[in-house]
Amino acid sequence: MIYLPKTLLARALLLIMVLMVLSLTAALAIFRQVEREPRAQQMAQLVVSVINLTRAAVLSAAPEWRSALLAELADVERLHVEMAEKSDVLKPLPARPLELHLMMEKVRESLGKNTRFAAKHNGVEALWVSFFIGNEEFWVALPKEHIARPASQILLVWGSLIFGLAMLGAYFIARQVAYPLQQLAQAAQQVGQGATLQPLPERGAHEIVTVTRAFNQMSADLTANERERALVLAGISHDLRTPLTRVRLAAEFIVDETLREGLAADVEQMDTVIQQFLNYARLDENEVVTQLNIKSLVCEVAERFEQQAKSLTLELHDVPMLQVRPLLLKRALSNLLDNAIKHGGGKISLLLKQEGNQVILAITDCGTGIPTAQHEAVKRPFARLETSRSNVTGTGLGLAIVERTARLHGGEFNLGNSAEGGLVAQLILPCV
């Protein structure tokens, strides 16, 4: 299985690097194929010239000076000339490179078919080529640097430099695409957590600018809709408070005690609904973040519900200091405890602990629970189950407030069913 990098920047760099390596390899292969014939012809001409000059020098020299001439050729030109013997130990030339064999064919065309070649002659490594003077066969050793083409260090250095510059350019090109997308992803995550963002800079390629402009417009529309929603809910709730107060006062003058208590209970329930509307509309998003130990905060909230719950068990472990909005966190915890009391059968357990770099606040009840398929649905505003866990009425905003609280703190809000059949609500906060 091939594992590719996960980031767009790494994938783009990898793709560009692979394409560059393939392109350079293909270019090198084409270059070698094109230059093979001229290179073989050049090598053959050099070998033929050396052999002809060596033969002419040997023939033109007096017999008594031949030894001195051969020594001079060996010292100055590094050309070793030896007579061929039957006892010579020869090593043939390698099969590669191909231009070497093309050179051998061209040399034989000029010097004769009986020309022989060897990579070693009696243990001495060189390019050995035979030639004839009359009936006598001689071997001449050509140094490899006379015919071989060593890899140029300058070429390697410049090639590496060009490749490095190309990769640096590829990095900046890929970053021009990846960085704006990374900014968009971070901004989208912050918007999902309920934060209000400044417009992102609209620069770069046309497609990136178009996407960024659309995101800025979407973010502005969401902010405007959120403000309008808050104003509408706050306005409606405020307008209902005044007539409810008059109804409550009028109920005090009703003679029938049963009717008076029922009307007061209805007014109290309506006031609770209005308060939830206000809480959801405000949600204290602008509350100052404070570093504190939430263990004391949890104890403070739990004390207010001990009288209402039939059984409230606390298991509070020491946890690190967290950056939180205290009022907002109290409201979320209060909603969870209130929900557990109303729907959880009266027996509630509250757990506070640390797992890794997270702090988990879990509330478990012994009610009928919520079907797994509806766990996400009930966290939406105004969502109500088709079959409620009890006949208690509500607005459907309690869990929505907890969900928004978790997102504003960069955490999670999860629902699950316990083994005993009740509901487990987990508020997970990150340790900063």
Side-chain angles (χ1 to χ4, degrees), residues 222-240 277-283 404:
L222 289 175
T223 302
N225 291 339
E226 190 69 15
R227 290 173 180 171
E228 292 177 2
R229 175 194 57 78
L231 288 174
V232 170
L233 288 178
I236 294 175
S237 301
H238 180 271
D239 293 341
L240 288 177
F277 278 132
L278 287 173
N279 291 340
Y280 186 74
R282 294 195 304 264
L283 204 60
R404 288 184 63 190

Side-chain angles (χ1 to χ4, degrees), residues 36-47 103 106:
R36 181 173 296 155
E37 185 72 21
R39 176 63 181 166
Q41 182 67 34
Q42 181 184 5
M43 292 169 59
Q45 290 176 356
L46 176 62
V47 171
M103 178 271 295
K106 296 181 180 297

Side-chain angles (χ1 to χ4, degrees), residues 284-304:
D284 293 329
E285 295 177 358
N286 297 322
E287 182 185 357
V288 177
V289 176
T290 306
Q291 185 175 15
L292 53 81
N293 188 338
I294 67 171
K295 183 177 180 179
S296 58
L297 184 147
V298 173
C299 290
E300 179 185 345
V301 175
E303 287 179 359
R304 301 203 303 262

Side-chain angles (χ1 to χ4, degrees), residues 149-161:
R149 184 180 54 183
S152 174
Q153 293 184 354
I154 297 179
L155 181 61
L156 292 177
V157 170
W158 279 103
S160 301
L161 180 60

